[in-house]
Amino acid sequence: MVVAVHVKTNAKYVQKNIRNFQKRFPNEIKRTLLKSGFLLLTIIKELTKKGKSFKRSKFPKYSKGYEKWKRKYSKSRASNVVDLMLTGRMMQSLTPNSTVKAKGKNRVELKFSNSEMRERAFRIQTGQGNHPERPFFGFDKRTEKKINKEFEKEIGKRMKRMRIWV
């Protein structure tokens, strides 16, 4: 008794897909990292708007004199929430296109696009001068987990698009 077995493989197709994946994967990682940076920027802005630090604690209240001056100066912002907004210039200098940049291998950098606003943010963040410390520019474990989860989800989507299933 003789048995003849013919095996047809798709090895060449698989090799081609793997080579394609290896070429494209660094760019996909970079795009996904930038998307994660945009997410962090959004979270920072949302927390600050709610009057919370990146650790999700409330900011110290404004002094009575400043609160009175702020109400007089900006009638539309007559709120008790400490949202670090007077003119909005500092938070507006955190634009995604100029703020989030790929930095080195597998890193993203967030920064203020305007040097004057960068100095203002540093004074607020560290509490320099006679101001209380209001740390708004950073992230905690909760935010880190959220960003990691979104990163993994996005990489999975990109791998599926390239026909490499997870």
Side-chain angles (χ1 to χ4, degrees), residues 32-42 100 108 110 147:
T32 308
L33 280 171
L34 287 173
K35 195 169 183 177
S36 297
F38 297 146
L39 177 61
L40 176 59
L41 183 64
T42 303
V100 180
V108 173
L110 271 67
I147 290 172

Side-chain angles (χ1 to χ4, degrees), residues 24-130:
R24 288 179 54 196
F25 198 66
N27 291 333
E28 297 297 331
I29 291 276
K30 184 178 177 181
R31 281 191 198 111
T32 308
L33 280 171
L34 287 173
K35 195 169 183 177
S36 297
F38 297 146
L39 177 61
L40 176 59
L41 183 64
T42 303
I43 291 169
I44 288 171
K45 284 185 172 187
E46 285 175 1
L47 287 173
T48 303
K49 191 175 185 178
K50 292 177 184 176
K52 295 183 178 182
S53 73
F54 69 86
K55 296 175 185 175
R56 289 174 172 69
S57 60
K58 286 188 174 184
F59 289 133
K61 293 188 179 229
Y62 291 131
S63 68
K64 296 291 180 191
Y66 181 78
E67 194 172 330
K68 185 178 175 184
W69 178 83
K70 184 178 178 183
R71 281 199 182 114
K72 183 179 177 182
Y73 178 80
S74 176
K75 296 197 187 317
S76 64
R77 297 246 178 238
S79 169
N80 291 339
V81 177
V82 179
D83 60 0
L84 308 181
M85 289 282 228
L86 183 61
T87 62
R89 286 181 55 216
M90 183 179 75
M91 295 310 274
Q92 287 171 355
S93 72
L94 281 173
T95 58
N97 295 339
S98 61
T99 301
V100 180
K101 301 283 184 195
K103 191 76 170 178
K105 187 176 180 179
N106 300 334
R107 288 181 56 195
V108 173
E109 180 181 78
L110 271 67
K111 63 181 181 179
F112 288 84
S113 59
N114 182 316
S115 63
E116 181 185 340
M117 297 303 117
R118 191 177 312 126
E119 290 174 22
R120 182 181 295 173
F122 181 74
R123 287 193 310 271
I124 291 170
Q125 180 87 7
T126 59
Q128 286 188 348
N130 57 355

